[in-house]
Amino acid sequence: RTKQGSLRAVWLRTDGERVLSTIVTADDDPVPIQRLSGRLTQSDGVAWSVHPGDDNLLRGAVAKPIRGVEAIEVSGVSIGPLGFLQPNPIVAERMYEWLSEGLKGERAFDLYAGSGAMTRRLRPLFGEVLACETHEESAAALGVAAESAEVFMARQTETPSAVVANPPRKGLGKSVVAELLRLRPQRIHLMECGPAGLASDLEALSEAYEVESLRAFDTLPQTSHVELVAKLVLRS
């Protein structure tokens, strides 16, 4: 909060039995990391990541294993030191179910796919699912090359049946919105944690789409944040 000192954040992830911890610091001094990692006595694995920026991103580009397990498996997917898990899994499951409801077809895009929670749900519903993720660890777990949504969308030539997207707090942005309006899939399902970003995206997409439904899910308990799920359909 004060931006003083080295420690930026500590991530804790669990598969229900084991705990994987990731220490994120602002500099690459290993001495306090070694001292702190030894005090995390209930962690089955500890990793270290450096993120010197002053933004609110909590993970660096690469995590270095310090001791113990280097990954945990959740729902058949390997989650490493920088992999993301929703902190309220029961509500998150309901959210993913609602997000995927009404989707079916030949081809789907899963933008900002993360650890693949939505990708796995889309595969039984579509003949082909193309996942896009910019973070290298998560992209490798999905079996795709790390790539931004802007680059991914710009190289697409065939219109998918549907697009599912879980962008960062700022939203899709002008470039991705422009590509969606160019391709014009029948359905676009958005999951966003930033109300202002979602409002901007919905206004920009209203040129060709109408909002079918909008729901909020409290996946971040004891905070002021919620995940918003908006379902859009192409105007006839």
Side-chain angles (χ1 to χ4, degrees):
R1 291 175 180 266
T2 64
K3 298 184 180 179
Q4 296 177 355
S6 177
L7 186 64
R8 293 290 304 274
V10 177
W11 286 45
L12 304 174
R13 298 166 190 74
T14 182
D15 56 9
E17 297 180 359
R18 299 179 300 172
V19 175
L20 176 61
S21 302
T22 304
I23 304 169
V24 185
T25 62
D27 58 53
D28 58 0
D29 181 3
V31 175
I33 299 305
Q34 294 292 344
R35 186 167 61 247
L36 180 58
S37 66
R39 297 173 63 184
L40 298 178
T41 56
Q42 296 189 51
S43 294
D44 299 277
V46 178
W48 172 33
S49 177
V50 177
H51 181 65
D54 61 0
D55 52 53
N56 66 352
L57 295 176
L58 295 182
R59 57 185 178 183
V62 179
K64 178 183 178 181
I66 301 297
R67 64 172 175 83
V69 300
E70 298 182 16
I72 56 176
E73 188 170 299
V74 179
S75 301
V77 175
S78 177
I79 304 295
L82 300 180
F84 178 78
L85 285 174
Q86 288 282 359
N88 191 335
I90 296 175
V91 174
E93 185 64 26
R94 296 175 183 170
M95 176 181 65
Y96 288 128
E97 288 178 359
W98 176 248
L99 185 62
S100 59
E101 188 173 301
L103 295 177
K104 196 172 184 179
E106 294 298 320
R107 197 166 185 244
F109 294 166
D110 186 12
L111 306 182
Y112 315 91
S115 60
M118 198 60 204
T119 309
R120 297 191 301 276
R121 289 167 173 80
L122 292 174
R123 281 173 177 159
L125 304 175
F126 292 87
E128 180 183 31
V129 177
L130 300 182
C132 170
E133 170 57 37
T134 186
H135 202 269
E136 291 187 4
E137 180 184 299
S138 298
L142 289 166
V144 300
E147 185 177 31
S148 70
E150 289 79 5
V151 172
F152 173 87
M153 290 295 291
R155 65 181 179 82
Q156 302 303 321
T157 58
E158 296 183 22
T159 297
S161 307
V163 172
V164 176
N166 181 18
R169 190 172 302 278
K170 64 182 180 180
L172 297 169
K174 293 181 179 179
S175 177
V176 175
V177 166
E179 295 298 332
L180 288 170
L181 292 173
R182 173 179 66 87
L183 293 172
R184 303 210 172 196
Q186 185 62 37
R187 299 189 71 92
I188 299 174
H189 287 195
L190 301 175
M191 182 172 73
E192 302 194 23
C193 60
L198 177 60
S200 177
D201 292 339
L202 294 181
E203 182 178 5
L205 289 167
S206 65
E207 170 187 323
Y209 290 86
E210 60 183 6
V211 177
E212 181 183 73
S213 63
L214 174 63
R215 288 190 180 184
F217 293 84
D218 187 17
T219 60
L220 301 163
Q222 302 181 48
T223 76
S224 60
H225 304 292
V226 294
E227 288 278 9
L228 301 165
V229 175
K231 298 181 180 181
L232 286 71
V233 293
L234 187 65
R235 297 182 189 276
S236 59

